[in-house]
Amino acid sequence: IAAGALTADDHSLVVLPFAHLFGLVVAGLAPLLAGGRLTTMERFHPVRAIDALGDVTVLVAVPAVFAALVSVLGKRAVKLAGVPLRVAICGGAPLDARLQDRWFDLTGVELRQGYGLTEAGPVCLFNRVSLPNARGSLGVPFPGVSVEVRDPASGRAVADGVVGEICVKGENVGPGY
């Protein structure tokens, strides 16, 4: 709730399925725990989603959803005007920097990327709303979560900028992981 600066005044449009933890926890439960309200879509459709943004302040989705929304906004050749959207959260897959830039150009809202996994309930890293959005980054670890990038073969930590496996540790991580 704190990472997304969610409040009781927020209205979230939920386009993700609750069958996945990202949809259930981040898109659904977090806004409710903050006291906000939800509008759900039975099935995502980009035109209907944009038309539903009227008083929406929070949108949580995967890159494919944001790409579809950007495509529709680009075809309409209009920016989102008069919509109070203030938080856009992306996860579930890598976020292309061009999509992130285009989203901002069309909406004026930073697209904030995070990283998590079901076994970690589900968020480990996030570009918190209280910090400048670090485009191209997964953000900072949640409190109580430590993150290290390791060489998959040796298990040793790698230097900054070196490709490796993301390893997380914390009370949020399920036993055995």
Side-chain angles (χ1 to χ4, degrees):
I1 296 170
L6 303 178
T7 73
D9 295 327
D10 280 317
H11 175 197
S12 298
L13 177 62
V14 181
V15 299
L16 297 176
F18 290 141
H20 299 277
L21 278 190
F22 185 44
L24 178 64
V25 174
V26 180
L29 292 178
L32 289 177
L33 288 171
R37 65 187 177 103
L38 306 178
T39 296
T40 60
M41 294 185 76
E42 183 175 341
R43 169 168 270 159
F44 172 71
H45 187 279
V47 173
R48 287 197 296 270
I50 288 171
D51 291 342
L53 288 177
D55 65 344
V56 167
T57 58
V58 178
L59 180 62
V60 177
V62 296
V65 166
F66 283 107
L69 296 173
V70 161
S71 176
V72 170
L73 288 170
K75 287 176 185 170
R76 287 186 175 182
V78 295
K79 294 185 177 186
L80 288 181
V83 174
L85 186 67
R86 64 177 191 81
V87 178
I89 297 172
C90 188
L95 175 60
D96 184 272
R98 292 171 299 195
L99 174 59
Q100 201 169 19
D101 292 341
R102 187 73 174 129
W103 174 262
F104 183 79
D105 291 344
L106 291 168
T107 66
V109 177
E110 286 286 353
L111 183 50
R112 295 177 177 275
Q113 185 172 206
Y115 171 81
L117 57 158
T118 298
E119 298 83 0
V123 183
C124 299
L125 298 154
F126 180 63
N127 275 285
R128 301 172 73 85
V129 172
S130 61
L131 300 172
N133 191 29
R135 293 185 189 179
S137 165
L138 295 173
V140 298
F142 266 39
V145 176
S146 61
V147 179
E148 190 172 72
V149 179
R150 296 180 185 170
D151 177 276
S154 70
R156 289 191 214 111
V158 298
D160 287 351
V162 176
V163 174
E165 181 178 37
I166 298 173
C167 297
V168 298
K169 180 176 153 183
E171 291 182 10
N172 62 318
V173 180
Y177 287 94

